[in-house]
Amino acid sequence: MAEKEIAQRKITVREKEIQLLKQIREGSDQAYIELTGPYRERLYRKAVSMVKDGDDAEDIVQDALISGYRSIKNFRAESGVYTWLYRIVVNKSKDLLAKRKRARENSMDESEFQVTDHRLGFEKKIELSDESEYLIKKINELEDIYKEVIELRYFEEMSYSQIAEVLGCNIGTVKSRLFKAKEFLKHLIQQDGRGDGYFR
């Protein structure tokens, strides 16, 4: 009974999105706010994790939502709204990181561009257990392509098909990267003399 109720809720969310998309295409700005509102905090956390600055992350999310609104007529709704917005946020975060890199290369003073939201980091450390903090540290040591696939699968809880859409590859590639990512992560953990029962 519980599984049936959960499935029904998922259908309801999907139908709600389709209904709101229809209203948006008919000119309702409020419908777009209602559609994207539930995802703002998650999108913000993703942007912060990439650009390491709260103000920049907020700008990125705002810019992404504006871009999403402008291109909403081209959104086919074959995937979820969050997956679509997530990809926009990631691309805009990468654009900012690329601009920072170019700025560093053209400046003698690199410290100006190494901005970090220390308040967020402090709060995050309070919330995380020692074990979780250790695991996140190890994940951050992975190459970007492996770090990203683990983040999408285990922190964003995306399906293989959603990850494939975000990364622009096929499901087979997603599974292969995830397998390699877990092997690399296991190796890093074992180097510290810890167990490997993290991603079974």
Side-chain angles (χ1 to χ4, degrees):
M1 182 66 180
E3 291 181 359
K4 186 176 181 181
E5 289 177 355
I6 291 171
Q8 184 61 42
R9 283 199 296 273
K10 288 182 179 177
I11 291 171
T12 302
V13 169
R14 183 64 173 159
E15 289 177 347
K16 180 74 171 179
E17 285 188 350
I18 292 172
Q19 182 183 27
L20 288 171
L21 284 167
K22 183 175 182 294
Q23 293 174 15
I24 293 165
R25 287 168 181 146
E26 290 172 352
S28 173
D29 293 343
Q30 183 58 40
Y32 186 72
I33 294 172
E34 188 176 345
L35 178 71
T36 59
Y39 306 125
R40 282 186 64 100
E41 182 61 30
R42 290 171 67 190
L43 293 170
Y44 173 78
R45 289 200 303 267
K46 176 58 186 174
V48 166
S49 75
M50 292 185 70
V51 303
K52 312 300 183 189
D53 179 80
D55 291 337
D56 284 342
E58 184 62 37
D59 289 343
I60 285 168
V61 172
Q62 291 281 17
D63 193 21
L65 292 175
I66 292 170
S67 296
Y69 182 76
R70 288 173 177 166
S71 61
I72 195 74
K73 291 181 180 179
N74 298 323
F75 179 57
R76 298 180 181 178
E78 295 172 352
S79 62
V81 171
Y82 177 70
T83 305
W84 173 60
L85 292 172
Y86 180 96
R87 194 190 322 170
I88 297 175
V89 166
V90 167
N91 288 338
K92 289 188 178 297
S93 297
K94 287 180 177 178
D95 288 345
L96 177 61
L97 292 174
K99 287 179 182 177
R100 284 184 185 172
K101 183 178 179 181
R102 288 195 296 270
R104 283 197 300 268
E105 290 171 351
N106 294 328
S107 173
M108 296 298 291
D109 183 11
E110 296 190 5
S111 63
E112 179 182 351
F113 304 99
Q114 296 173 350
V115 183
T116 303
D117 189 338
H118 297 292
R119 179 191 58 78
L120 182 70
F122 176 73
E123 291 177 356
K124 198 170 185 180
K125 285 182 180 179
I126 291 176
E127 292 173 2
L128 292 173
S129 67
D130 290 341
E131 198 67 19
S132 297
E133 192 174 346
Y134 167 78
L135 184 57
I136 290 173
K137 179 182 176 183
K138 288 297 155 186
I139 290 171
N140 285 331
E141 291 179 15
L142 297 172
E143 290 183 38
D144 286 345
I145 62 170
Y146 300 121
K147 180 172 68 175
E148 186 170 29
V149 76
I150 282 184
E151 183 180 89
L152 293 173
R153 181 63 174 167
Y154 294 104
F155 297 114
E156 295 294 336
E157 298 182 347
M158 289 189 182
S159 66
Y160 291 127
S161 60
Q162 288 174 321
I163 296 172
E165 183 179 354
V166 167
L167 299 181
C169 60
N170 59 48
I171 292 177
T173 300
V174 170
K175 291 180 177 180
S176 175
R177 284 187 191 177
L178 188 59
F179 175 80
K180 290 178 181 177
K182 290 192 289 186
E183 289 299 304
F184 288 141
L185 183 59
K186 185 188 298 183
H187 178 69
L188 289 174
I189 292 170
Q190 288 176 334
Q191 280 185 324
D192 290 343
R194 298 202 182 195
D196 57 5
Y198 285 88
F199 291 100
R200 291 178 177 174

